[in-house]
Amino acid sequence: MATAGTGHLTGIGARPIPEFDGVHDVWPRGERLRAVREAAATYKERFKAQGEVCAVKSVDIAAAPYPVKYAFHNAVSVPTLPLISMINRMLVVQYDDFDGRARTLVFEPTVPDGSAQAPFYRNLQKLTDKVPGGKLLERTILRYYAEPGDVLRRLGLTPDDIDFCTFDHLHVQDPRMILGSTEVVEGESAPRKPLFGGARMLVHSRELATLQCLHPMQWAWYVDGGLDGVDPEKFVTFDGDIELGPGVALLWTPGHTDGNHSLVLNTPDGVWVSSENGIALDNWQPELSRIPGVRRYHEVFGREICPNANTLEDSLDQYDSMVKEKTLADRCKADPRWLQILPSSELVPWKRFWPVVPTYVHGGIAYGEIKGGRR
C-alpha cells in the first residue's frame, strides 16, 4: 500500500502541516479544543499567504434521502417527515503543487450505483419497495443530476487529465466504481474500468483501514467488499493534515469517522471549507438557524456546533473538528453573517421538506477556468 510519509508526500508535490502536530492528542479535552482552535488560526495565516487555487468548479451529482434525526443530532423539535434529501456535490480543483506541477483533483466523485449498495441505503430501498406508495416517495426524495464522468466531459476534461480523487470519508462510497477492479462487481458482466484513468485516490490511513476491517457500529454506512480487486497502488494514504499545493489542503477532521478529512481552498473570495461534518450551514452556525430546535440546541447545551450525527465514533472529536473548519473558513461576501463552508452533501432547500430546510445556501462555487491538457 502506498503511504504518504514525508518522502512520499514530496513525491506527489505535497507536504505535511506542522501547525497541527499533536493537537488532537492534547489532554484534557477542553485543552484539546483550545489547541485545535489556536492551531487552525495560526495555520490560516500561512495558508492564505501561500496563494490561491488556479480554478475550482462545483457540480451537483445526486439528491438522496437522509434521516432528519441524524442530520441535526436529534435537535429538530417539531413533527417532520422522517427523511429529508441532501445533494452530493462534486468539486473539480486545479492547482499547482509545491514542485510547480499542474494538478487536477476531483473531490467527492460519488457514483450513485455504488452508494446504493451501502447497507443503510440497501435496507431503505427494501423498505421503500414494501410501503404502499413507495415509488411516489422515491420520486420525492431522489433526484439525479449528473454522473462524475459526464461532469468531466462538460468541463472539457478527459479521464487522463485527473491526477487525484478523494472523498472526505468513505461512507457509502465504493472505490471499485472510481478506481476500477480486476473482479466483476455483483450484478455486472465485466470488471469495472477506472473512471479517471491512472488517477490515484488520496485517503487518510485510518479511513482506508476502517473499510478494510469494519466494526459492527460502522458497518451500515460502508460498502462491504468495496476494495475487492482494487489495485492497492491506486491509493495514496496519509496521516494527519497535508497541503497539496498553494491554496489546497486536506485537514484531518476526525470524529464523524476516524479518518475524516476536509478540503480547504483559498480563492479570490478567501478560504472555503468542504466536508460532511454538517449537511447545512445550520450545523456549523446553529445560533443563526431557523430550523426549529437547532438554535435551542445551541442555547441549551452551550454548543457552538450541531453535528451531523449518523455515526458518532467520537462526538468530542467531531466537535473539535467542526471548530477547526469554522476557524479556517472566511466570511461570505454576499452575507458576512455566514461562513464559507460548503457541505459536501447539502440539505436541499425544497419546500416539500419545510421546516427542515437550510437557513442559508451558498449554492456551489466557481472560480477561474477549468482547463484540459494541463498535465
Side-chain angles (χ1 to χ4, degrees):
M1 184 69 66
T3 58
T6 301
H8 194 76
L9 284 179
T10 303
I12 63 170
R15 62 194 188 190
I17 301 174
E19 284 87 345
F20 294 109
D21 287 350
V23 296
H24 289 284
D25 297 321
V26 171
W27 186 264
R29 297 303 296 257
E31 283 297 310
R32 185 181 304 180
L33 175 59
R34 179 193 58 77
V36 168
R37 196 190 307 269
E38 290 180 357
T42 299
Y43 175 60
K44 182 175 181 176
E45 292 184 16
R46 182 169 69 83
F47 178 68
K48 294 187 71 170
Q50 288 176 168
E52 300 171 359
V53 295
C54 300
V56 58
K57 173 70 174 176
S58 66
V59 181
D60 294 346
I61 298 295
Y66 195 64
V68 172
K69 65 180 180 180
Y70 296 148
F72 298 99
H73 201 191
N74 283 312
V76 178
S77 59
V78 297
T80 67
L81 294 172
L83 297 172
I84 44 84
S85 291
M86 57 185 188
I87 295 175
N88 175 262
R89 183 176 283 124
M90 174 174 138
L91 277 76
V92 178
V93 182
Q94 294 192 320
Y95 66 97
D96 295 330
D97 69 20
F98 287 111
D99 294 327
R101 290 172 293 194
R103 299 288 198 180
T104 299
L105 168 73
V106 178
F107 181 64
E108 296 293 317
T110 296
V111 177
D113 286 348
S115 296
Q117 297 309 307
F120 173 81
Y121 282 114
R122 196 168 60 237
N123 292 338
L124 184 61
Q125 183 65 59
K126 290 177 182 177
L127 179 62
T128 302
D129 291 342
K130 291 179 181 178
V131 173
K135 291 300 179 185
L136 178 61
L137 173 63
E138 195 171 280
R139 289 196 294 271
T140 301
I141 58 181
L142 275 174
R143 184 176 295 178
Y144 297 100
Y145 299 100
E147 291 279 347
D150 296 333
V151 172
L152 293 191
R153 287 187 287 274
R154 285 187 205 170
L155 297 178
L157 300 175
T158 69
D160 290 336
D161 285 317
I162 310 305
D163 296 279
F164 306 112
C165 61
T166 192
F167 295 91
D168 50 9
H169 62 292
L170 294 177
H171 276 177
V172 308
Q173 303 300 341
D174 188 338
R176 296 172 298 182
M177 302 290 172
I178 310 297
L179 302 177
S181 174
T182 58
E183 300 180 14
V184 178
V185 177
E186 184 179 354
E188 300 187 2
S189 58
R192 278 264 174 172
K193 300 295 184 183
L195 187 59
F196 301 133
R200 290 176 288 173
M201 182 178 290
L202 305 174
V203 59
H204 195 281
S205 60
R206 293 193 180 192
E207 192 67 14
L208 188 57
T210 294
L211 186 53
Q212 290 168 332
C213 188
L214 292 170
H215 186 280
M217 291 294 288
Q218 301 166 319
W219 171 81
W221 296 97
Y222 287 91
V223 178
D224 203 4
L227 296 175
D228 293 348
V230 178
D231 181 359
E233 294 301 314
K234 285 279 192 174
F235 294 98
V236 178
T237 64
F238 62 91
D239 294 302
D241 308 77
I242 65 172
E243 46 191 11
L244 303 178
V248 190
L250 300 178
L251 297 190
W252 184 36
T253 48
H256 185 68
T257 70
D258 288 320
N260 200 84
H261 67 261
S262 305
L263 178 68
V264 184
L265 303 173
N266 191 26
T267 73
D269 286 332
V271 178
W272 285 87
V273 178
S274 185
S275 85
E276 202 181 286
N277 274 317
I279 68 162
L281 283 165
D282 303 70
N283 293 99
W284 285 272
Q285 296 179 269
E287 73 280 3
L288 299 179
S289 180
R290 295 197 198 102
I291 298 173
V294 174
R295 183 181 298 185
R296 181 169 173 77
Y297 175 98
H298 154 72
E299 294 169 346
V300 170
F301 294 106
R303 297 171 183 168
E304 63 182 285
I305 60 91
C306 177
N308 172 25
N310 64 318
T311 59
L312 288 174
E313 295 187 13
D314 191 319
S315 58
L316 275 70
D317 274 342
Q318 186 171 356
Y319 189 104
D320 296 352
S321 292
M322 293 178 75
V323 169
K324 188 176 186 178
E325 293 169 330
K326 289 180 66 170
T327 304
L328 264 294
D330 276 322
R331 294 278 169 178
C332 174
K333 297 291 177 66
D335 188 339
R337 295 177 303 164
W338 296 97
L339 294 169
Q340 291 186 156
I341 296 176
L342 192 69
S344 55
S345 294
E346 185 165 32
L347 175 62
V348 299
W350 300 343
K351 292 180 180 179
R352 71 191 69 161
F353 296 122
W354 186 89
V356 186
V357 292
T359 305
Y360 188 86
V361 178
H362 292 300
I365 59 173
Y367 296 96
E369 180 185 355
I370 300 293
K371 298 177 181 178
R374 296 181 78 238
R375 297 182 65 178

